[in-house]
Amino acid sequence: MKQKKFIFVTGGTVSGIGKGITVAAISRLFKSHGFSVLPIKMDPYLNKDAGTMNPYQHGEVFVTDDGAETDLDLGHYERFTGVNLTKDSNFTTGSVYAHILDLERRGDFLGKTIQIIPHVTDEIKRRIISATERHNPDITLVEIGGTVGDIEEEQFLESARQIFREYGNENVQFIHVVKIDYVFPSDESKTKPIQQSVALLRSRGIQPDFLIVRCKRPLTKDNQDKISLFTNVREEHVIQAPNVSVIYEVPTYFKRSHLDTYMMRRLGLISQKRDFGEWERRIRKLKNARKKIRIALVGKYIDHTDAYISVEEALVSASAEQGIHVDLVRVDSEHKNLLKSLKNIDGILVPGGFGKRGIEGKIKAIRYARENNIPFLGLCLGLQSAVIEFARNVCGMKNAHSTEFEKNTEYPVIDMLKDQKRLKNLGGTMRLGASTIILKEGTILESLYKRKEVEERHRHRYEVSPKYHDILQKHGLVLSGFATSDKRLVDFIELKNHPFFVATQAHPEFKSRFLEPHPLFRGFIRASAKT
Ligand code: GLN
């Protein structure tokens, strides 16, 4: 077993300033230096996991191979590092309390008083340490959700402090992500909120080793001196993090400030290799891309930028590889003039979703793509909507629908399978996590993947009803991939005689990486760019 090394990342001043990207970018740097990493996100809320949380509040729910429904930061970690994470990489305060209360009911505490210290903190530490032992990485990076000073965060900070005490200064490092303030009307930069945030952290027994300072202008020497003086963080450890147009540039910025060198020195690690070339080449390709295409993302959470984040990042990764600039046009599926906003669009993407709102707009957009030979990619509900559209407008089943939206529809082309219906608990009927799919020979899908058997992640309840497979196929819909576990489950569809009409019941966006864009997105971008 290796010497365990931990990096804790906290946030201060305000929320939403990029702790997740910071952890992802630092993980990338360590990977490029030849180290293995295990990123973990601790979420301070009381929900047991992110599965039931509204995208409006928390953005996308990310799904791991082993079927955990997690915070979207895990998506950043996977895209930046290429590592497949597991349920070990995300837990909430709610899950910690639920576990402890289960033990209490079972009588495990033998009548003792259960307290936040030591019982809750011990459970938090146990999760971090046992995940580290199971995965045996060179470095475990732990992102503490929330902002220092939040009541809910205290138990995480206290657990981190104890790990520092137990594993020692040479093995544990703290990074605090903060934001410089700009007062109006002069727009003068102010460091006071940073000073106060670090003071809060120190009152919890934690002295940060590094500060990542989000800023819209480069820090002045005076800013830097002041921050260092008041926070006791060495001057060269005050790292600037300006806004970047492409988040994948963040590791490059950090490297320019020698953050990687300082961190390795501080943890007693020696770089094993320097593997940054391809990463930086892709960024250059993306930034210098001359060819521009417009992709419409037709969904219902259009004003929340994080709701479809993995889909958007999968498009960015594919476009970086191919040197094409994607202009993403977010189209509200409830928009009255939906078709108007699809004018001059090179490709249409319909992502996943739950609930009836906006479904007719998605169907309309798909019909438009099908009839006008516009490349189309459908994901999960996107596939289901494409099947409904095809049933209605090609097979003549006028009111075809999904029983999720129309219980007594005449043509339930999308339905829950019989054995799924018997299960009472809705959660129990969800297909979650990775499973294998067999592709039909000679299909577009096979040519995209260049393989016969593929693995994709799922998060859905309804299926293309087996009763309608024949009639759909008879009218020309190609069912191009089925689950190996149950041959009734359609995982891919496509159309012949169309430049690119492909949909999947899975969520390929969760498996796309910056250095390894997903074949479906690659194919979609290529078709939309007509290359
Ligand atoms: N609501 C659909 C289902 O449960 C699709 C889910 C999704 O798009 N993730 O089957």
Side-chain angles (χ1 to χ4, degrees), residues 338-383:
L338 180 100
L339 291 184
K340 229 189 201 165
S341 39
L342 295 179
K343 289 271 169 303
N344 303 321
I345 286 287
D346 300 300
I348 295 177
L349 194 154
V350 177
F354 293 81
K356 189 170 183 176
R357 189 164 67 77
I359 186 77
E360 291 305 324
K362 290 176 188 172
I363 293 170
K364 214 187 255 178
I366 295 169
R367 179 176 194 172
Y368 180 78
R370 184 176 58 76
E371 293 181 343
N372 293 284
N373 288 326
I374 296 169
F376 162 72
L377 179 61
L379 309 174
C380 209
L381 185 60
L383 174 140

mmCIF file of all heavy atoms in Angstrom, residues 338-383:
data_model
loop_
_atom_site.group_PDB
_atom_site.id
_atom_site.type_symbol
_atom_site.label_atom_id
_atom_site.label_comp_id
_atom_site.label_asym_id
_atom_site.label_seq_id
_atom_site.Cartn_x
_atom_site.Cartn_y
_atom_site.Cartn_z
ATOM 1 N N LEU A 338 -40.836 27.577 -32.340
ATOM 2 C CA LEU A 338 -39.714 26.643 -32.277
ATOM 3 C C LEU A 338 -39.037 26.452 -33.632
ATOM 4 O O LEU A 338 -37.821 26.538 -33.762
ATOM 5 C CB LEU A 338 -40.226 25.305 -31.739
ATOM 6 C CG LEU A 338 -39.188 24.221 -31.602
ATOM 7 C CD1 LEU A 338 -38.748 24.122 -30.160
ATOM 8 C CD2 LEU A 338 -39.727 22.889 -32.041
ATOM 9 N N LEU A 339 -39.857 26.215 -34.649
ATOM 10 C CA LEU A 339 -39.280 25.909 -35.961
ATOM 11 C C LEU A 339 -38.489 27.081 -36.517
ATOM 12 O O LEU A 339 -37.489 26.901 -37.183
ATOM 13 C CB LEU A 339 -40.357 25.464 -36.947
ATOM 14 C CG LEU A 339 -40.971 24.096 -36.621
ATOM 15 C CD1 LEU A 339 -41.954 23.664 -37.693
ATOM 16 C CD2 LEU A 339 -39.895 23.025 -36.443
ATOM 17 N N LYS A 340 -38.920 28.282 -36.177
ATOM 18 C CA LYS A 340 -38.198 29.474 -36.623
ATOM 19 C C LYS A 340 -36.779 29.474 -36.055
ATOM 20 O O LYS A 340 -35.819 29.805 -36.737
ATOM 21 C CB LYS A 340 -38.948 30.723 -36.144
ATOM 22 C CG LYS A 340 -39.149 31.724 -37.239
ATOM 23 C CD LYS A 340 -39.679 32.986 -36.656
ATOM 24 C CE LYS A 340 -40.374 33.798 -37.737
ATOM 25 N NZ LYS A 340 -41.184 34.838 -37.115
ATOM 26 N N SER A 341 -36.679 29.064 -34.787
ATOM 27 C CA SER A 341 -35.328 29.094 -34.197
ATOM 28 C C SER A 341 -34.446 27.965 -34.707
ATOM 29 O O SER A 341 -33.273 27.895 -34.372
ATOM 30 C CB SER A 341 -35.395 29.091 -32.663
ATOM 31 O OG SER A 341 -36.407 28.244 -32.214
ATOM 32 N N LEU A 342 -35.020 27.077 -35.526
ATOM 33 C CA LEU A 342 -34.195 26.003 -36.093
ATOM 34 C C LEU A 342 -33.688 26.348 -37.506
ATOM 35 O O LEU A 342 -33.033 25.541 -38.150
ATOM 36 C CB LEU A 342 -34.979 24.691 -36.120
ATOM 37 C CG LEU A 342 -35.349 24.122 -34.747
ATOM 38 C CD1 LEU A 342 -36.141 22.833 -34.884
ATOM 39 C CD2 LEU A 342 -34.114 23.890 -33.896
ATOM 40 N N LYS A 343 -34.020 27.557 -37.941
ATOM 41 C CA LYS A 343 -33.518 27.996 -39.251
ATOM 42 C C LYS A 343 -31.999 28.154 -39.177
ATOM 43 O O LYS A 343 -31.463 28.562 -38.147
ATOM 44 C CB LYS A 343 -34.149 29.346 -39.641
ATOM 45 C CG LYS A 343 -35.619 29.247 -40.003
ATOM 46 C CD LYS A 343 -35.804 28.966 -41.481
ATOM 47 C CE LYS A 343 -37.201 28.591 -41.863
ATOM 48 N NZ LYS A 343 -37.886 27.475 -41.252
ATOM 49 N N ASN A 344 -31.314 27.825 -40.236
ATOM 50 C CA ASN A 344 -29.841 27.945 -40.298
ATOM 51 C C ASN A 344 -29.117 27.150 -39.235
ATOM 52 O O ASN A 344 -28.068 27.553 -38.736
ATOM 53 C CB ASN A 344 -29.395 29.409 -40.188
ATOM 54 C CG ASN A 344 -30.034 30.256 -41.261
ATOM 55 O OD1 ASN A 344 -30.163 29.801 -42.399
ATOM 56 N ND2 ASN A 344 -30.463 31.438 -40.894
ATOM 57 N N ILE A 345 -29.695 26.039 -38.857
ATOM 58 C CA ILE A 345 -29.058 25.171 -37.865
ATOM 59 C C ILE A 345 -28.445 23.986 -38.601
ATOM 60 O O ILE A 345 -29.035 23.451 -39.533
ATOM 61 C CB ILE A 345 -30.132 24.699 -36.845
ATOM 62 C CG1 ILE A 345 -30.521 25.828 -35.895
ATOM 63 C CG2 ILE A 345 -29.689 23.463 -36.093
ATOM 64 C CD1 ILE A 345 -29.504 26.194 -34.861
ATOM 65 N N ASP A 346 -27.234 23.594 -38.191
ATOM 66 C CA ASP A 346 -26.550 22.502 -38.891
ATOM 67 C C ASP A 346 -26.825 21.141 -38.277
ATOM 68 O O ASP A 346 -26.591 20.110 -38.921
ATOM 69 C CB ASP A 346 -25.035 22.758 -38.885
ATOM 70 C CG ASP A 346 -24.695 24.068 -39.574
ATOM 71 O OD1 ASP A 346 -25.022 24.190 -40.768
ATOM 72 O OD2 ASP A 346 -24.136 24.970 -38.923
ATOM 73 N N GLY A 347 -27.233 21.113 -37.019
ATOM 74 C CA GLY A 347 -27.512 19.836 -36.379
ATOM 75 C C GLY A 347 -28.449 20.043 -35.200
ATOM 76 O O GLY A 347 -28.423 21.097 -34.562
ATOM 77 N N ILE A 348 -29.299 19.046 -34.933
ATOM 78 C CA ILE A 348 -30.274 19.178 -33.846
ATOM 79 C C ILE A 348 -30.038 18.067 -32.832
ATOM 80 O O ILE A 348 -29.967 16.889 -33.201
ATOM 81 C CB ILE A 348 -31.718 19.114 -34.398
ATOM 82 C CG1 ILE A 348 -31.957 20.334 -35.301
ATOM 83 C CG2 ILE A 348 -32.743 19.036 -33.264
ATOM 84 C CD1 ILE A 348 -33.312 20.361 -35.972
ATOM 85 N N LEU A 349 -29.928 18.458 -31.566
ATOM 86 C CA LEU A 349 -29.697 17.471 -30.510
ATOM 87 C C LEU A 349 -30.838 17.553 -29.502
ATOM 88 O O LEU A 349 -31.159 18.640 -29.011
ATOM 89 C CB LEU A 349 -28.363 17.779 -29.837
ATOM 90 C CG LEU A 349 -27.767 16.686 -28.947
ATOM 91 C CD1 LEU A 349 -26.258 16.831 -28.878
ATOM 92 C CD2 LEU A 349 -28.350 16.673 -27.563
ATOM 93 N N VAL A 350 -31.452 16.417 -29.228
ATOM 94 C CA VAL A 350 -32.489 16.386 -28.186
ATOM 95 C C VAL A 350 -31.976 15.526 -27.031
ATOM 96 O O VAL A 350 -31.762 14.328 -27.184
ATOM 97 C CB VAL A 350 -33.838 15.848 -28.727
ATOM 98 C CG1 VAL A 350 -34.869 15.764 -27.607
ATOM 99 C CG2 VAL A 350 -34.356 16.754 -29.840
ATOM 100 N N PRO A 351 -31.734 16.159 -25.875
ATOM 101 C CA PRO A 351 -31.142 15.436 -24.745
ATOM 102 C C PRO A 351 -32.200 14.699 -23.913
ATOM 103 O O PRO A 351 -33.384 14.714 -24.239
ATOM 104 C CB PRO A 351 -30.522 16.566 -23.930
ATOM 105 C CG PRO A 351 -31.399 17.743 -24.184
ATOM 106 C CD PRO A 351 -31.939 17.579 -25.579
ATOM 107 N N GLY A 352 -31.763 14.094 -22.814
ATOM 108 C CA GLY A 352 -32.654 13.346 -21.929
ATOM 109 C C GLY A 352 -33.553 14.250 -21.109
ATOM 110 O O GLY A 352 -33.390 15.466 -21.101
ATOM 111 N N GLY A 353 -34.517 13.641 -20.430
ATOM 112 C CA GLY A 353 -35.391 14.428 -19.578
ATOM 113 C C GLY A 353 -36.494 13.590 -18.972
ATOM 114 O O GLY A 353 -36.729 12.453 -19.378
ATOM 115 N N PHE A 354 -37.152 14.168 -18.008
ATOM 116 C CA PHE A 354 -38.280 13.502 -17.339
ATOM 117 C C PHE A 354 -39.453 14.467 -17.338
ATOM 118 O O PHE A 354 -39.266 15.673 -17.241
ATOM 119 C CB PHE A 354 -37.912 13.148 -15.892
ATOM 120 C CG PHE A 354 -36.846 12.092 -15.803
ATOM 121 C CD1 PHE A 354 -35.506 12.420 -15.952
ATOM 122 C CD2 PHE A 354 -37.183 10.760 -15.593
ATOM 123 C CE1 PHE A 354 -34.515 11.452 -15.884
ATOM 124 C CE2 PHE A 354 -36.207 9.781 -15.527
ATOM 125 C CZ PHE A 354 -34.866 10.126 -15.669
ATOM 126 N N GLY A 355 -40.666 13.938 -17.443
ATOM 127 C CA GLY A 355 -41.846 14.794 -17.359
ATOM 128 C C GLY A 355 -42.294 15.291 -18.724
ATOM 129 O O GLY A 355 -41.516 15.382 -19.674
ATOM 130 N N LYS A 356 -43.603 15.632 -18.753
ATOM 131 C CA LYS A 356 -44.266 15.895 -20.025
ATOM 132 C C LYS A 356 -43.931 17.255 -20.644
ATOM 133 O O LYS A 356 -43.976 17.430 -21.864
ATOM 134 C CB LYS A 356 -45.786 15.819 -19.774
ATOM 135 C CG LYS A 356 -46.611 15.846 -21.034
ATOM 136 C CD LYS A 356 -48.058 15.525 -20.752
ATOM 137 C CE LYS A 356 -48.827 15.494 -22.060
ATOM 138 N NZ LYS A 356 -50.214 15.095 -21.870
ATOM 139 N N ARG A 357 -43.572 18.199 -19.787
ATOM 140 C CA ARG A 357 -43.399 19.568 -20.263
ATOM 141 C C ARG A 357 -42.381 19.618 -21.416
ATOM 142 O O ARG A 357 -41.287 19.096 -21.314
ATOM 143 C CB ARG A 357 -42.941 20.462 -19.107
ATOM 144 C CG ARG A 357 -42.931 21.917 -19.396
ATOM 145 C CD ARG A 357 -42.860 22.712 -18.111
ATOM 146 N NE ARG A 357 -41.581 22.534 -17.419
ATOM 147 C CZ ARG A 357 -40.441 23.123 -17.790
ATOM 148 N NH1 ARG A 357 -40.425 23.901 -18.860
ATOM 149 N NH2 ARG A 357 -39.336 22.925 -17.108
ATOM 150 N N GLY A 358 -42.782 20.249 -22.509
ATOM 151 C CA GLY A 358 -41.849 20.452 -23.619
ATOM 152 C C GLY A 358 -41.747 19.293 -24.596
ATOM 153 O O GLY A 358 -41.061 19.382 -25.612
ATOM 154 N N ILE A 359 -42.451 18.203 -24.326
ATOM 155 C CA ILE A 359 -42.277 17.002 -25.160
ATOM 156 C C ILE A 359 -42.737 17.233 -26.609
ATOM 157 O O ILE A 359 -42.070 16.805 -27.556
ATOM 158 C CB ILE A 359 -42.969 15.761 -24.517
ATOM 159 C CG1 ILE A 359 -42.670 14.490 -25.293
ATOM 160 C CG2 ILE A 359 -44.470 15.919 -24.408
ATOM 161 C CD1 ILE A 359 -41.321 13.932 -25.041
ATOM 162 N N GLU A 360 -43.857 17.952 -26.775
ATOM 163 C CA GLU A 360 -44.351 18.155 -28.147
ATOM 164 C C GLU A 360 -43.360 18.976 -28.976
ATOM 165 O O GLU A 360 -43.204 18.751 -30.170
ATOM 166 C CB GLU A 360 -45.738 18.812 -28.142
ATOM 167 C CG GLU A 360 -46.867 17.907 -27.622
ATOM 168 C CD GLU A 360 -46.987 16.562 -28.360
ATOM 169 O OE1 GLU A 360 -46.758 16.523 -29.583
ATOM 170 O OE2 GLU A 360 -47.303 15.541 -27.686
ATOM 171 N N GLY A 361 -42.689 19.915 -28.349
ATOM 172 C CA GLY A 361 -41.674 20.721 -29.049
ATOM 173 C C GLY A 361 -40.523 19.852 -29.509
ATOM 174 O O GLY A 361 -40.000 20.004 -30.624
ATOM 175 N N LYS A 362 -40.119 18.925 -28.650
ATOM 176 C CA LYS A 362 -39.010 18.027 -29.023
ATOM 177 C C LYS A 362 -39.416 17.188 -30.234
ATOM 178 O O LYS A 362 -38.634 17.005 -31.166
ATOM 179 C CB LYS A 362 -38.658 17.111 -27.846
ATOM 180 C CG LYS A 362 -38.004 17.855 -26.707
ATOM 181 C CD LYS A 362 -37.730 16.980 -25.504
ATOM 182 C CE LYS A 362 -37.251 17.855 -24.362
ATOM 183 N NZ LYS A 362 -37.138 17.165 -23.097
ATOM 184 N N ILE A 363 -40.649 16.694 -30.199
ATOM 185 C CA ILE A 363 -41.142 15.860 -31.302
ATOM 186 C C ILE A 363 -41.166 16.678 -32.603
ATOM 187 O O ILE A 363 -40.771 16.207 -33.666
ATOM 188 C CB ILE A 363 -42.534 15.281 -30.944
ATOM 189 C CG1 ILE A 363 -42.368 14.294 -29.785
ATOM 190 C CG2 ILE A 363 -43.210 14.636 -32.143
ATOM 191 C CD1 ILE A 363 -43.658 13.806 -29.161
ATOM 192 N N LYS A 364 -41.592 17.918 -32.471
ATOM 193 C CA LYS A 364 -41.661 18.798 -33.652
ATOM 194 C C LYS A 364 -40.259 19.019 -34.234
ATOM 195 O O LYS A 364 -40.046 18.962 -35.446
ATOM 196 C CB LYS A 364 -42.249 20.151 -33.209
ATOM 197 C CG LYS A 364 -43.112 20.805 -34.274
ATOM 198 C CD LYS A 364 -43.491 22.188 -33.833
ATOM 199 C CE LYS A 364 -44.945 22.262 -33.382
ATOM 200 N NZ LYS A 364 -45.286 23.619 -32.909
ATOM 201 N N ALA A 365 -39.290 19.262 -33.344
ATOM 202 C CA ALA A 365 -37.915 19.511 -33.803
ATOM 203 C C ALA A 365 -37.358 18.270 -34.499
ATOM 204 O O ALA A 365 -36.655 18.372 -35.513
ATOM 205 C CB ALA A 365 -37.035 19.889 -32.613
ATOM 206 N N ILE A 366 -37.701 17.096 -33.983
ATOM 207 C CA ILE A 366 -37.186 15.856 -34.578
ATOM 208 C C ILE A 366 -37.807 15.635 -35.963
ATOM 209 O O ILE A 366 -37.128 15.249 -36.910
ATOM 210 C CB ILE A 366 -37.461 14.659 -33.642
ATOM 211 C CG1 ILE A 366 -36.669 14.835 -32.333
ATOM 212 C CG2 ILE A 366 -37.104 13.344 -34.315
ATOM 213 C CD1 ILE A 366 -37.027 13.881 -31.225
ATOM 214 N N ARG A 367 -39.085 15.932 -36.045
ATOM 215 C CA ARG A 367 -39.734 15.798 -37.360
ATOM 216 C C ARG A 367 -39.050 16.701 -38.385
ATOM 217 O O ARG A 367 -38.765 16.294 -39.514
ATOM 218 C CB ARG A 367 -41.226 16.170 -37.244
ATOM 219 C CG ARG A 367 -41.921 16.071 -38.573
ATOM 220 C CD ARG A 367 -43.393 16.322 -38.490
ATOM 221 N NE ARG A 367 -44.029 15.879 -39.724
ATOM 222 C CZ ARG A 367 -45.321 15.826 -39.906
ATOM 223 N NH1 ARG A 367 -46.135 16.172 -38.923
ATOM 224 N NH2 ARG A 367 -45.823 15.425 -41.040
ATOM 225 N N TYR A 368 -38.773 17.911 -37.939
ATOM 226 C CA TYR A 368 -38.103 18.874 -38.807
ATOM 227 C C TYR A 368 -36.747 18.336 -39.254
ATOM 228 O O TYR A 368 -36.384 18.417 -40.437
ATOM 229 C CB TYR A 368 -37.965 20.200 -38.046
ATOM 230 C CG TYR A 368 -37.294 21.303 -38.813
ATOM 231 C CD1 TYR A 368 -37.991 22.020 -39.784
ATOM 232 C CD2 TYR A 368 -35.967 21.635 -38.562
ATOM 233 C CE1 TYR A 368 -37.372 23.037 -40.483
ATOM 234 C CE2 TYR A 368 -35.347 22.658 -39.256
ATOM 235 C CZ TYR A 368 -36.050 23.360 -40.214
ATOM 236 O OH TYR A 368 -35.441 24.369 -40.908
ATOM 237 N N ALA A 369 -35.995 17.751 -38.331
ATOM 238 C CA ALA A 369 -34.672 17.194 -38.658
ATOM 239 C C ALA A 369 -34.817 16.037 -39.645
ATOM 240 O O ALA A 369 -34.077 15.934 -40.622
ATOM 241 C CB ALA A 369 -33.976 16.717 -37.393
ATOM 242 N N ARG A 370 -35.802 15.188 -39.392
ATOM 243 C CA ARG A 370 -35.989 14.006 -40.247
ATOM 244 C C ARG A 370 -36.393 14.409 -41.665
ATOM 245 O O ARG A 370 -35.821 13.932 -42.635
ATOM 246 C CB ARG A 370 -37.059 13.077 -39.626
ATOM 247 C CG ARG A 370 -37.259 11.781 -40.395
ATOM 248 C CD ARG A 370 -38.236 10.855 -39.700
ATOM 249 N NE ARG A 370 -39.568 11.442 -39.493
ATOM 250 C CZ ARG A 370 -40.489 11.593 -40.436
ATOM 251 N NH1 ARG A 370 -40.250 11.208 -41.679
ATOM 252 N NH2 ARG A 370 -41.662 12.149 -40.160
ATOM 253 N N GLU A 371 -37.343 15.335 -41.739
ATOM 254 C CA GLU A 371 -37.866 15.685 -43.057
ATOM 255 C C GLU A 371 -36.942 16.592 -43.859
ATOM 256 O O GLU A 371 -37.029 16.650 -45.077
ATOM 257 C CB GLU A 371 -39.248 16.342 -42.913
ATOM 258 C CG GLU A 371 -40.269 15.346 -42.387
ATOM 259 C CD GLU A 371 -41.674 15.924 -42.248
ATOM 260 O OE1 GLU A 371 -41.837 17.170 -42.239
ATOM 261 O OE2 GLU A 371 -42.616 15.116 -42.125
ATOM 262 N N ASN A 372 -36.074 17.305 -43.152
ATOM 263 C CA ASN A 372 -35.207 18.253 -43.866
ATOM 264 C C ASN A 372 -33.754 17.808 -43.930
ATOM 265 O O ASN A 372 -32.867 18.616 -44.209
ATOM 266 C CB ASN A 372 -35.319 19.638 -43.225
ATOM 267 C CG ASN A 372 -36.704 20.222 -43.426
ATOM 268 O OD1 ASN A 372 -37.039 20.687 -44.508
ATOM 269 N ND2 ASN A 372 -37.528 20.139 -42.390
ATOM 270 N N ASN A 373 -33.533 16.532 -43.644
ATOM 271 C CA ASN A 373 -32.175 15.971 -43.722
ATOM 272 C C ASN A 373 -31.151 16.711 -42.873
ATOM 273 O O ASN A 373 -30.013 16.907 -43.283
ATOM 274 C CB ASN A 373 -31.696 15.943 -45.180
ATOM 275 C CG ASN A 373 -32.428 14.862 -45.943
ATOM 276 O OD1 ASN A 373 -32.748 13.806 -45.372
ATOM 277 N ND2 ASN A 373 -32.704 15.119 -47.203
ATOM 278 N N ILE A 374 -31.584 17.156 -41.702
ATOM 279 C CA ILE A 374 -30.651 17.818 -40.789
ATOM 280 C C ILE A 374 -30.135 16.772 -39.799
ATOM 281 O O ILE A 374 -30.936 16.023 -39.222
ATOM 282 C CB ILE A 374 -31.357 18.967 -40.037
ATOM 283 C CG1 ILE A 374 -31.777 20.013 -41.065
ATOM 284 C CG2 ILE A 374 -30.454 19.577 -38.978
ATOM 285 C CD1 ILE A 374 -32.699 21.052 -40.527
ATOM 286 N N PRO A 375 -28.820 16.684 -39.615
ATOM 287 C CA PRO A 375 -28.292 15.704 -38.669
ATOM 288 C C PRO A 375 -28.970 15.807 -37.308
ATOM 289 O O PRO A 375 -29.190 16.908 -36.795
ATOM 290 C CB PRO A 375 -26.811 16.071 -38.578
ATOM 291 C CG PRO A 375 -26.505 16.670 -39.908
ATOM 292 C CD PRO A 375 -27.747 17.422 -40.298
ATOM 293 N N PHE A 376 -29.300 14.642 -36.754
ATOM 294 C CA PHE A 376 -30.029 14.605 -35.484
ATOM 295 C C PHE A 376 -29.383 13.585 -34.555
ATOM 296 O O PHE A 376 -29.030 12.478 -34.970
ATOM 297 C CB PHE A 376 -31.493 14.211 -35.744
ATOM 298 C CG PHE A 376 -32.205 13.724 -34.502
ATOM 299 C CD1 PHE A 376 -32.551 14.619 -33.481
ATOM 300 C CD2 PHE A 376 -32.518 12.376 -34.331
ATOM 301 C CE1 PHE A 376 -33.189 14.167 -32.329
ATOM 302 C CE2 PHE A 376 -33.171 11.921 -33.185
ATOM 303 C CZ PHE A 376 -33.510 12.819 -32.184
ATOM 304 N N LEU A 377 -29.211 14.003 -33.307
ATOM 305 C CA LEU A 377 -28.741 13.070 -32.281
ATOM 306 C C LEU A 377 -29.731 13.121 -31.112
ATOM 307 O O LEU A 377 -30.002 14.201 -30.569
ATOM 308 C CB LEU A 377 -27.333 13.459 -31.804
ATOM 309 C CG LEU A 377 -26.716 12.594 -30.711
ATOM 310 C CD1 LEU A 377 -26.559 11.141 -31.166
ATOM 311 C CD2 LEU A 377 -25.354 13.146 -30.279
ATOM 312 N N GLY A 378 -30.282 11.979 -30.759
ATOM 313 C CA GLY A 378 -31.255 11.910 -29.661
ATOM 314 C C GLY A 378 -30.685 11.106 -28.506
ATOM 315 O O GLY A 378 -30.123 10.032 -28.721
ATOM 316 N N LEU A 379 -30.831 11.635 -27.293
ATOM 317 C CA LEU A 379 -30.275 10.956 -26.134
ATOM 318 C C LEU A 379 -31.387 10.626 -25.147
ATOM 319 O O LEU A 379 -32.077 11.522 -24.658
ATOM 320 C CB LEU A 379 -29.243 11.846 -25.441
ATOM 321 C CG LEU A 379 -28.149 12.442 -26.346
ATOM 322 C CD1 LEU A 379 -27.287 13.420 -25.566
ATOM 323 C CD2 LEU A 379 -27.298 11.341 -26.955
ATOM 324 N N CYS A 380 -31.592 9.358 -24.892
ATOM 325 C CA CYS A 380 -32.551 8.876 -23.903
ATOM 326 C C CYS A 380 -33.976 9.350 -24.232
ATOM 327 O O CYS A 380 -34.581 8.830 -25.146
ATOM 328 C CB CYS A 380 -32.111 9.261 -22.498
ATOM 329 S SG CYS A 380 -32.699 8.056 -21.298
ATOM 330 N N LEU A 381 -34.489 10.390 -23.551
ATOM 331 C CA LEU A 381 -35.805 10.890 -23.941
ATOM 332 C C LEU A 381 -35.772 11.342 -25.409
ATOM 333 O O LEU A 381 -36.789 11.318 -26.099
ATOM 334 C CB LEU A 381 -36.223 12.052 -23.035
ATOM 335 C CG LEU A 381 -37.619 12.599 -23.262
ATOM 336 C CD1 LEU A 381 -38.684 11.531 -23.050
ATOM 337 C CD2 LEU A 381 -37.908 13.790 -22.367
ATOM 338 N N GLY A 382 -34.621 11.703 -25.888
ATOM 339 C CA GLY A 382 -34.439 12.070 -27.301
ATOM 340 C C GLY A 382 -34.746 10.894 -28.210
ATOM 341 O O GLY A 382 -35.360 11.057 -29.272
ATOM 342 N N LEU A 383 -34.334 9.700 -27.796
ATOM 343 C CA LEU A 383 -34.676 8.506 -28.583
ATOM 344 C C LEU A 383 -36.179 8.248 -28.496
ATOM 345 O O LEU A 383 -36.850 8.001 -29.506
ATOM 346 C CB LEU A 383 -33.919 7.265 -28.088
ATOM 347 C CG LEU A 383 -34.329 5.945 -28.758
ATOM 348 C CD1 LEU A 383 -33.119 5.070 -29.044
ATOM 349 C CD2 LEU A 383 -35.360 5.156 -27.948
#
